[in-house]
Amino acid sequence: MTSPSRRFAELSVAQVRSRCSADSVAVLPVGAVEQHGPHLPLITDALVAEAASTAAVDRHGEELDLWLLPTLTYGRSVEHEWAPGTLSLSTSTFAAVLADLGRGVAATGIRRLVLVNGHGGNSSEIQTMLRDLRRAHGLLTFAVNAFPPPEEDPFADVERGQGIHGGAGETSLLLHLRPDLVDMDAAAPRLPRGLADNTHVRFGGTVGFGWLSDDFGPDGYLGDPTRASADTGRKAFAAMTAQLGEQLAEIARFDFTHHLATHHRTVPVL
């Protein structure tokens, strides 16, 4: 006998009322439709976020009471709007969509909402919305990234933190998940000269800086996808989904009331 579906949108209204509760966790994959250079598809970020979320919910859904929401395919991709094919929401629209979806989740009685984000450009707005949704609806809100753990990056020595968009890691994931959408003949190294030598002004450094993806060349990607392989992608995806399962397990039991500090004040005897 197959397990009941854990796809939220496949439920009826009656099933939402009977099966979803304050102990349930709504899992929302969030991606983007944006250029990823000439070798990867526009759907890359949404595809990875959805695949990781689906795998985690299929594996842990019954145990943790997880519900997979339909993927929010579009994201905030202003850094890629120069490229034909990019379909970006504005900052205000993206925030409004998250606010509306959060309101709908809260109305079901589900208390926990986790956004599984596949696009770095979404991160700042998602972090802002976590508190806004908490304040507006009392939801317990969480965000995790659909990226492999850093220790699973075999390309770190070559890309030196610069393989952040269409590089070896992301290309490997697509070679594992959807090799039919990858054109390795179009892949070439794109590593910005000198940026990784900076101490502070660099990707992952202590100084943030505004950038557009064509600041580093007309192809709009960063990294060395020529080093990618399907086997590396398979290992990275397994590590990513294992980590996501662990994260969802902690999310499912997290509650602020469990972490209230009790302060005992000793009153001196005079």
Side-chain angles (χ1 to χ4, degrees), residues 8 26 28-30 69-74 89 93-108 113 115 129 133 137 139:
F8 179 84
L28 174 61
V30 184
L69 301 179
T71 300
L72 177 55
T73 303
Y74 304 104
L89 302 180
T93 299
F94 185 56
V97 169
L98 293 178
D100 288 346
L101 293 176
R103 183 179 69 248
V105 169
T108 68
L113 170 63
L115 279 62
M129 289 308 300
L133 291 172
H137 306 294
L139 288 167

Short mmCIF file of all heavy atoms in Angstrom, two decimals, residues 8 26 28-30 69-74 89 93-108 113 115 129 133 137 139:
data_model
loop_
_atom_site.label_atom_id
_atom_site.label_comp_id
_atom_site.label_asym_id
_atom_site.label_seq_id
_atom_site.Cartn_x
_atom_site.Cartn_y
_atom_site.Cartn_z
N PHE A 8 0.80 19.08 -0.72
CA PHE A 8 -0.28 19.87 -0.13
C PHE A 8 -1.38 20.17 -1.15
O PHE A 8 -2.57 20.08 -0.83
CB PHE A 8 0.29 21.17 0.44
CG PHE A 8 -0.73 22.07 1.05
CD1 PHE A 8 -1.15 21.89 2.36
CD2 PHE A 8 -1.29 23.12 0.32
CE1 PHE A 8 -2.10 22.72 2.93
CE2 PHE A 8 -2.24 23.96 0.88
CZ PHE A 8 -2.65 23.76 2.19
N ALA A 26 4.95 23.15 6.75
CA ALA A 26 4.79 23.44 5.34
C ALA A 26 6.16 23.74 4.73
O ALA A 26 6.90 24.58 5.25
CB ALA A 26 3.86 24.64 5.14
N LEU A 28 8.16 25.04 1.48
CA LEU A 28 7.97 25.80 0.25
C LEU A 28 9.30 25.94 -0.48
O LEU A 28 10.18 26.71 -0.07
CB LEU A 28 7.42 27.19 0.57
CG LEU A 28 7.30 28.17 -0.61
CD1 LEU A 28 6.36 27.62 -1.67
CD2 LEU A 28 6.84 29.54 -0.13
N PRO A 29 9.50 25.21 -1.60
CA PRO A 29 10.69 25.44 -2.42
C PRO A 29 10.57 26.79 -3.13
O PRO A 29 9.52 27.13 -3.67
CB PRO A 29 10.67 24.29 -3.42
CG PRO A 29 9.62 23.32 -2.93
CD PRO A 29 8.66 24.12 -2.13
N VAL A 30 11.66 27.55 -3.11
CA VAL A 30 11.68 28.87 -3.76
C VAL A 30 12.87 28.92 -4.71
O VAL A 30 14.00 28.61 -4.32
CB VAL A 30 11.79 30.00 -2.72
CG1 VAL A 30 11.71 31.36 -3.41
CG2 VAL A 30 10.71 29.89 -1.65
N LEU A 69 4.60 22.22 -0.45
CA LEU A 69 3.83 23.21 -1.20
C LEU A 69 4.33 23.28 -2.65
O LEU A 69 5.49 22.94 -2.92
CB LEU A 69 3.97 24.59 -0.55
CG LEU A 69 3.50 24.73 0.90
CD1 LEU A 69 3.73 26.16 1.38
CD2 LEU A 69 2.04 24.35 1.06
N PRO A 70 3.49 23.72 -3.57
CA PRO A 70 3.96 23.92 -4.95
C PRO A 70 5.11 24.92 -4.98
O PRO A 70 5.12 25.91 -4.24
CB PRO A 70 2.73 24.48 -5.67
CG PRO A 70 1.57 24.01 -4.86
CD PRO A 70 2.04 24.00 -3.44
N THR A 71 6.08 24.68 -5.82
CA THR A 71 7.28 25.52 -5.89
C THR A 71 6.94 26.94 -6.32
O THR A 71 6.17 27.15 -7.26
CB THR A 71 8.28 24.91 -6.88
OG1 THR A 71 8.64 23.61 -6.43
CG2 THR A 71 9.53 25.76 -7.01
N LEU A 72 7.52 27.91 -5.62
CA LEU A 72 7.48 29.29 -6.07
C LEU A 72 8.64 29.44 -7.06
O LEU A 72 9.79 29.65 -6.67
CB LEU A 72 7.63 30.26 -4.90
CG LEU A 72 7.68 31.75 -5.24
CD1 LEU A 72 6.47 32.17 -6.06
CD2 LEU A 72 7.80 32.59 -3.98
N THR A 73 8.34 29.28 -8.33
CA THR A 73 9.37 29.19 -9.35
C THR A 73 10.08 30.51 -9.58
O THR A 73 11.29 30.56 -9.77
CB THR A 73 8.76 28.69 -10.67
OG1 THR A 73 8.13 27.43 -10.44
CG2 THR A 73 9.82 28.51 -11.74
N TYR A 74 9.33 31.61 -9.54
CA TYR A 74 9.93 32.92 -9.80
C TYR A 74 10.50 33.50 -8.51
O TYR A 74 9.92 33.34 -7.44
CB TYR A 74 8.88 33.88 -10.38
CG TYR A 74 8.24 33.35 -11.63
CD1 TYR A 74 6.95 32.83 -11.60
CD2 TYR A 74 8.93 33.35 -12.83
CE1 TYR A 74 6.35 32.35 -12.75
CE2 TYR A 74 8.35 32.85 -13.99
CZ TYR A 74 7.06 32.35 -13.94
OH TYR A 74 6.48 31.85 -15.08
N LEU A 89 10.90 38.81 -10.34
CA LEU A 89 9.97 39.63 -9.57
C LEU A 89 10.74 40.80 -8.97
O LEU A 89 11.92 40.67 -8.63
CB LEU A 89 9.35 38.81 -8.44
CG LEU A 89 8.58 37.54 -8.83
CD1 LEU A 89 8.03 36.86 -7.58
CD2 LEU A 89 7.46 37.85 -9.81
N THR A 93 7.35 43.02 -5.09
CA THR A 93 6.44 41.93 -5.50
C THR A 93 6.82 40.62 -4.84
O THR A 93 5.95 39.87 -4.37
CB THR A 93 6.46 41.78 -7.03
OG1 THR A 93 6.01 42.99 -7.64
CG2 THR A 93 5.56 40.64 -7.47
N PHE A 94 8.11 40.32 -4.80
CA PHE A 94 8.56 39.09 -4.17
C PHE A 94 8.16 39.06 -2.70
O PHE A 94 7.64 38.04 -2.21
CB PHE A 94 10.08 38.97 -4.31
CG PHE A 94 10.67 37.68 -3.80
CD1 PHE A 94 10.23 36.46 -4.27
CD2 PHE A 94 11.68 37.70 -2.84
CE1 PHE A 94 10.78 35.27 -3.80
CE2 PHE A 94 12.23 36.52 -2.36
CZ PHE A 94 11.78 35.31 -2.84
N ALA A 95 8.36 40.18 -2.00
CA ALA A 95 7.96 40.24 -0.60
C ALA A 95 6.45 40.08 -0.44
O ALA A 95 5.97 39.39 0.47
CB ALA A 95 8.41 41.58 0.01
N ALA A 96 5.68 40.69 -1.35
CA ALA A 96 4.22 40.59 -1.27
C ALA A 96 3.74 39.16 -1.52
O ALA A 96 2.81 38.69 -0.86
CB ALA A 96 3.58 41.54 -2.27
N VAL A 97 4.37 38.47 -2.47
CA VAL A 97 4.00 37.08 -2.74
C VAL A 97 4.27 36.21 -1.50
O VAL A 97 3.43 35.39 -1.11
CB VAL A 97 4.76 36.55 -3.97
CG1 VAL A 97 4.59 35.03 -4.10
CG2 VAL A 97 4.28 37.23 -5.24
N LEU A 98 5.43 36.37 -0.89
CA LEU A 98 5.74 35.61 0.32
C LEU A 98 4.76 35.94 1.43
O LEU A 98 4.33 35.04 2.18
CB LEU A 98 7.18 35.89 0.77
CG LEU A 98 8.29 35.39 -0.15
CD1 LEU A 98 9.66 35.77 0.41
CD2 LEU A 98 8.21 33.88 -0.37
N ALA A 99 4.39 37.20 1.55
CA ALA A 99 3.43 37.59 2.58
C ALA A 99 2.08 36.93 2.34
O ALA A 99 1.43 36.44 3.28
CB ALA A 99 3.29 39.12 2.61
N ASP A 100 1.63 36.93 1.09
CA ASP A 100 0.33 36.32 0.77
C ASP A 100 0.35 34.82 1.01
O ASP A 100 -0.61 34.25 1.55
CB ASP A 100 -0.04 36.61 -0.69
CG ASP A 100 -0.42 38.06 -0.91
OD1 ASP A 100 -0.65 38.78 0.08
OD2 ASP A 100 -0.48 38.48 -2.09
N LEU A 101 1.43 34.15 0.60
CA LEU A 101 1.51 32.70 0.80
C LEU A 101 1.58 32.37 2.29
O LEU A 101 0.97 31.40 2.75
CB LEU A 101 2.73 32.14 0.07
CG LEU A 101 2.67 32.20 -1.46
CD1 LEU A 101 3.98 31.71 -2.06
CD2 LEU A 101 1.51 31.39 -2.00
N GLY A 102 2.32 33.17 3.05
CA GLY A 102 2.39 32.94 4.50
C GLY A 102 1.04 33.09 5.17
O GLY A 102 0.67 32.31 6.06
N ARG A 103 0.27 34.08 4.73
CA ARG A 103 -1.07 34.27 5.28
C ARG A 103 -1.95 33.06 4.99
O ARG A 103 -2.71 32.58 5.85
CB ARG A 103 -1.70 35.54 4.69
CG ARG A 103 -3.08 35.85 5.26
CD ARG A 103 -3.67 37.12 4.69
NE ARG A 103 -4.00 36.96 3.28
CZ ARG A 103 -3.38 37.58 2.28
NH1 ARG A 103 -2.37 38.38 2.53
NH2 ARG A 103 -3.77 37.37 1.02
N GLY A 104 -1.84 32.53 3.77
CA GLY A 104 -2.63 31.36 3.42
C GLY A 104 -2.25 30.13 4.22
O GLY A 104 -3.11 29.35 4.65
N VAL A 105 -0.95 29.93 4.44
CA VAL A 105 -0.49 28.80 5.25
C VAL A 105 -1.03 28.93 6.67
O VAL A 105 -1.52 27.96 7.26
CB VAL A 105 1.05 28.71 5.24
CG1 VAL A 105 1.54 27.71 6.28
CG2 VAL A 105 1.55 28.30 3.85
N ALA A 106 -0.94 30.13 7.23
CA ALA A 106 -1.42 30.34 8.60
C ALA A 106 -2.90 30.02 8.73
O ALA A 106 -3.36 29.50 9.76
CB ALA A 106 -1.13 31.77 9.04
N ALA A 107 -3.66 30.30 7.68
CA ALA A 107 -5.11 30.06 7.72
C ALA A 107 -5.45 28.58 7.77
O ALA A 107 -6.57 28.21 8.16
CB ALA A 107 -5.78 30.72 6.51
N THR A 108 -4.53 27.71 7.38
CA THR A 108 -4.79 26.27 7.42
C THR A 108 -4.65 25.69 8.83
O THR A 108 -5.06 24.56 9.08
CB THR A 108 -3.80 25.50 6.53
OG1 THR A 108 -2.48 25.57 7.09
CG2 THR A 108 -3.79 26.06 5.11
N LEU A 113 6.44 27.10 8.87
CA LEU A 113 6.66 27.31 7.45
C LEU A 113 8.16 27.42 7.21
O LEU A 113 8.83 28.26 7.82
CB LEU A 113 5.97 28.59 6.97
CG LEU A 113 6.30 29.06 5.55
CD1 LEU A 113 5.85 28.03 4.51
CD2 LEU A 113 5.66 30.43 5.28
N LEU A 115 11.06 27.87 4.16
CA LEU A 115 11.35 28.21 2.77
C LEU A 115 12.69 27.57 2.39
O LEU A 115 13.71 27.84 3.03
CB LEU A 115 11.43 29.72 2.58
CG LEU A 115 10.09 30.48 2.45
CD1 LEU A 115 9.24 30.33 3.70
CD2 LEU A 115 10.34 31.95 2.17
N MET A 129 11.32 38.55 5.49
CA MET A 129 9.95 38.07 5.58
C MET A 129 9.76 37.08 6.73
O MET A 129 8.64 36.91 7.22
CB MET A 129 9.53 37.42 4.26
CG MET A 129 9.33 38.43 3.13
SD MET A 129 8.23 39.81 3.59
CE MET A 129 6.73 38.92 3.98
N LEU A 133 6.38 37.63 8.77
CA LEU A 133 5.35 36.59 8.88
C LEU A 133 5.17 36.13 10.31
O LEU A 133 4.04 35.82 10.73
CB LEU A 133 5.71 35.41 7.98
CG LEU A 133 5.63 35.66 6.48
CD1 LEU A 133 6.20 34.48 5.70
CD2 LEU A 133 4.19 35.93 6.05
N HIS A 137 1.38 36.73 11.73
CA HIS A 137 0.51 35.55 11.85
C HIS A 137 0.89 34.60 12.97
O HIS A 137 0.21 33.59 13.16
CB HIS A 137 0.52 34.78 10.51
CG HIS A 137 0.18 35.63 9.33
ND1 HIS A 137 -1.06 36.20 9.15
CD2 HIS A 137 0.94 36.01 8.26
CE1 HIS A 137 -1.07 36.89 8.01
NE2 HIS A 137 0.13 36.79 7.46
N LEU A 139 3.33 32.64 12.93
CA LEU A 139 3.98 31.45 12.39
C LEU A 139 5.40 31.30 12.93
O LEU A 139 6.07 32.29 13.24
CB LEU A 139 4.07 31.55 10.86
CG LEU A 139 2.78 31.37 10.06
CD1 LEU A 139 3.02 31.81 8.61
CD2 LEU A 139 2.31 29.92 10.10
#
